[in-house]
Amino acid sequence: MLSPASNQNPYLAVSTHIDGDHPQVAAQAAVLAAGCASEEEVVKACFEFVRDAIQHSWDFKRDPVTCRASDVLIHGTGYCYAKSHLLAALLRSNGIPAGLCYQRLSVGMEGPPFCLHGLNAVYLKNHGWYRIDARGNKPGVDAQFTPPLERLAFPVLAEQERDLPEIWAEPLPQVVHALLAYSSVREVADNLPDIELISAHPLN
């Protein structure tokens, strides 16, 4: 269960990587919100745009490596982390609180190595914090916007996998490092960010 935020200002803020004030990001946010009759319709439009119109870097083997929301929009590509930066920027530009969430997942089918997977949480007036995953659908991945039920891209299955409970206003440093330190999609894939678990066993 994601707890309500007592102070939503950080989840509406503009920053280096979530640059919702960039002219192209702000313009795209306005286009997506046009004609929407409710807040949830705006969220759905922004989510589906990032999910479907922005190509996942590894799925499409597309460079350049992007991190800043505006770069993701301009180049039309990004890893899951970068796509979550763009979705947060679009939602914040429309005045909707949005944060960043992470899962720890196996890089392969199961077992080590593990890596972080980036997604979003959005604050919906009727439901509270609700997670959405715009990494991009493909065979075996069918993420949707269906509040109050979550339909994320990946289930957490293995013992050392996790749904990390935090909602971050800014990207984790190791995520930013992975996207800025390497110049190709392949290099990022070989150096995916991870996080050390406090406990080896999932919390109930």
Side-chain angles (χ1 to χ4, degrees):
M1 177 70 71
L2 299 172
S3 61
S6 58
N7 177 12
Q8 293 182 349
N9 289 337
Y11 302 100
L12 291 166
V14 167
S15 65
T16 299
H17 304 296
I18 304 177
D19 55 341
D21 59 343
H22 186 281
Q24 288 177 253
V25 176
Q28 184 64 57
V31 167
L32 291 167
C36 292
S38 68
E39 174 190 74
E40 289 191 17
E41 286 187 16
V42 175
V43 175
K44 186 173 189 287
C46 293
F47 163 72
E48 291 185 348
F49 170 78
V50 177
R51 184 193 65 186
D52 300 338
I54 305 298
Q55 295 182 336
H56 188 281
S57 297
W58 184 249
D59 287 355
F60 291 88
K61 305 299 189 290
R62 275 195 62 188
D63 289 321
V65 176
T66 55
C67 181
R68 192 191 307 260
S70 56
D71 289 336
V72 180
L73 179 62
I74 290 166
H75 294 289
T77 187
Y79 268 97
C80 58
Y81 324 106
K83 293 185 70 168
S84 74
H85 303 169
L86 175 58
L87 181 52
L90 292 169
L91 293 170
R92 293 181 189 185
S93 184
N94 279 313
I96 300 171
L100 308 173
C101 296
Y102 299 94
Q103 294 175 316
R104 185 180 196 249
L105 301 173
S106 174
V107 173
M109 295 300 294
E110 61 179 308
F114 295 91
C115 70
L116 290 173
H117 169 62
L119 56 153
N120 293 89
V122 58
Y123 193 82
L124 303 174
K125 292 174 183 175
N126 293 332
H127 304 289
W129 284 110
Y130 172 76
R131 291 187 303 171
I132 46 179
D133 190 339
R135 64 88 57 209
N137 288 343
K138 61 180 182 176
V141 174
D142 184 27
Q144 302 290 337
F145 177 77
T146 55
L149 299 176
E150 289 183 348
R151 287 188 58 181
L152 304 180
F154 303 112
V156 170
L157 300 173
E159 181 181 358
Q160 290 185 297
E161 294 185 336
R162 290 291 189 281
D163 273 320
L164 301 179
E166 297 86 357
I167 304 172
W168 299 87
E170 289 296 315
L172 290 178
Q174 58 266 50
V175 167
V176 173
H177 173 78
L179 297 178
L180 296 183
Y182 304 105
S183 59
S184 74
V185 165
R186 165 57 70 180
E187 286 180 304
V188 175
D190 290 339
N191 295 277
L192 291 169
D194 192 10
I195 195 167
E196 184 177 350
L197 296 179
I198 296 173
S199 169
H201 300 284
L203 299 176
N204 294 323

